[in-house]
Amino acid sequence: RVQSLQSERERRSVSACLQKLTERNDPETARAALLCVQQLLQAVLNKPSSQRVRRLRRSNAALQRRLLCADAGEALLVAVGFEPCTDSVSPSRDEQQRTSCSNSPGATDREEEESWFVLPPSLAAPFLQMSLQTISEHADTIATNGSR
């Protein structure tokens, strides 16, 4: 019972973000943002242990253009489980060494702070599937209505 209440609360949070996204953006911008989040969630569900699909660089041009430029786009990304964070990253460090997100206390002058969205490995697949289904249903509604 507690699990179903939590799931319902999470579904409502995603739904509230979807509603804001739809109300605050033109239909084309909203559809692009929804498609982006759908693709991100599907990639995680297809490769759940891959850090590559669980870490999104905030400065990524496609992410900026398709999702983050939309009003409530970042809120939707957070509602589906991605957590904003910063990471001190040295240009010489290998991508494999940057699998966790933390602020490094010993950052040198050569390091720069990057901003990411990270999906924690502890986030359960059922929540991601529920979020994907909710977003897909909302996207279908926008496509059918052709408007907000």
Side-chain angles (χ1 to χ4, degrees):
R1 174 129 171 96
V2 172
Q3 180 89 7
S4 70
L5 289 174
Q6 183 177 355
S7 295
E8 180 61 23
R9 190 170 32 250
E10 291 166 341
R11 187 191 61 73
R12 277 189 254 158
S13 175
V14 171
S15 295
C17 287
L18 290 170
Q19 188 66 34
K20 288 178 187 175
L21 183 80
T22 305
E23 290 172 354
R24 297 177 182 178
N25 298 282
D26 63 84
E28 187 175 319
T29 301
R31 277 192 296 272
L34 293 175
L35 179 60
C36 182
V37 175
Q38 285 176 300
Q39 290 171 337
L40 293 170
L41 292 177
Q42 193 61 58
V44 172
L45 289 168
N46 289 342
K47 296 180 179 181
S49 61
S50 172
Q51 285 297 316
R52 186 172 186 273
V53 296
R54 289 180 167 273
R55 273 178 72 94
L56 308 172
R57 184 173 285 135
R58 184 184 289 266
S59 62
N60 178 289
L63 188 65
Q64 287 286 330
R65 183 180 63 253
R66 296 174 62 207
L67 179 62
L68 299 179
C69 71
D71 194 352
E74 182 173 337
L76 179 59
L77 195 59
V78 170
V80 299
F82 282 88
E83 299 174 352
C85 62
T86 56
D87 195 6
S88 294
V89 179
S90 171
S92 62
R93 255 194 247 164
D94 186 301
E95 184 66 31
Q96 289 294 332
Q97 295 173 327
R98 294 187 270 157
T99 57
S100 65
C101 189
S102 63
N103 290 320
S104 174
T108 67
D109 292 339
R110 291 192 58 220
E111 293 180 343
E112 59 188 52
E113 191 169 81
E114 288 195 75
S115 186
W116 300 82
F117 291 98
V118 177
L119 191 64
S122 61
L123 199 59
F127 172 72
L128 297 175
Q129 291 167 332
M130 180 273 305
S131 296
L132 182 59
Q133 180 181 352
T134 302
I135 291 167
S136 297
E137 290 168 0
H138 196 79
D140 290 346
T141 302
I142 292 174
T144 302
N145 294 342
S147 65
R148 295 181 222 179

